[in-house]
Amino acid sequence: MTEAAAQSNPCGVADDAGPFRRGFSLMEAGDRSRALRALVISLLSAAFSALLICLFVRFLELLFNPAAAEKDEALAWIRQLAGDPGAYQLFLLMGIGCAVVALAVFVVQLLQVRATWNFSAGMSRELGRRLLATYLRQPYEFFIDRHRSDLST
């Protein structure tokens, strides 16, 4: 890479690389692991939220139409999995299942907030450290030329 190209592209990553690749190239190993942890927990949170929505829709369907347990494939699968309980037991099982999944969603979202905060605080600290280190590595002439006060009037 030429010197001009290195100055225009300080990451050292090809210009056609995606934003995630460019972002990861700027991070150190600890920052990358925090970013991946936050990403995985976010994806897990989305999956649990989707599961809760699906389960809750089936629960409402069972609530307003108890005969749907035989007609709907998903409810029939849940009924078969539970050992073919009666309508009331299936309704109770679905309600408890929704509550358990809602609690799991809540816990995963708390973990997501913590992981996101941990990542952003770590990146803020790291970027500040890098900025100060770069500033302090400048030669003495840098400070004289740019930061002297004019005493003459």
Side-chain angles (χ1 to χ4, degrees):
M1 186 181 287
T2 66
E3 188 175 327
Q7 287 178 348
S8 67
N9 188 1
C11 303
V13 179
D15 287 334
D16 61 346
F20 287 110
R21 189 167 179 197
R22 287 182 70 96
F24 273 102
S25 70
L26 293 172
M27 296 180 201
E28 293 179 354
D31 300 328
R32 274 188 232 117
S33 69
R34 280 193 296 270
L36 286 175
R37 191 177 313 128
L39 180 64
V40 166
I41 291 175
S42 294
L43 293 175
L44 190 65
S45 175
F48 270 109
S49 296
L51 176 66
L52 178 63
I53 290 169
C54 290
L55 214 82
F56 192 69
V57 166
R58 300 295 181 203
F59 177 71
L60 289 178
E61 184 178 2
L62 188 63
L63 175 66
F64 292 113
N65 185 10
E70 288 85 24
K71 296 175 188 171
D72 192 319
E73 285 183 27
L75 285 174
W77 180 77
I78 292 172
R79 186 176 191 155
Q80 182 184 11
L81 190 67
D84 202 23
Y88 179 74
Q89 286 85 7
L90 182 62
F91 179 73
L92 190 62
L93 181 68
M94 290 289 290
I96 291 171
C98 282
V100 167
V101 172
L103 185 64
V105 166
F106 176 70
V107 168
V108 170
Q109 286 180 347
L110 280 176
L111 291 173
Q112 177 188 10
V113 167
R114 184 167 193 261
T116 304
W117 182 86
N118 190 17
F119 169 69
S120 63
M123 282 305 297
S124 177
R125 182 178 54 246
E126 180 62 25
L127 290 174
R129 185 192 63 79
R130 284 187 199 174
L131 182 64
L132 182 62
T134 302
Y135 181 74
L136 293 177
R137 268 191 240 117
Q138 298 299 320
Y140 184 66
E141 291 79 24
F142 173 82
F143 297 103
I144 291 175
D145 293 340
R146 287 179 176 80
H147 303 290
R148 65 179 172 190
S149 62
D150 287 334
L151 298 176
S152 62
T153 56

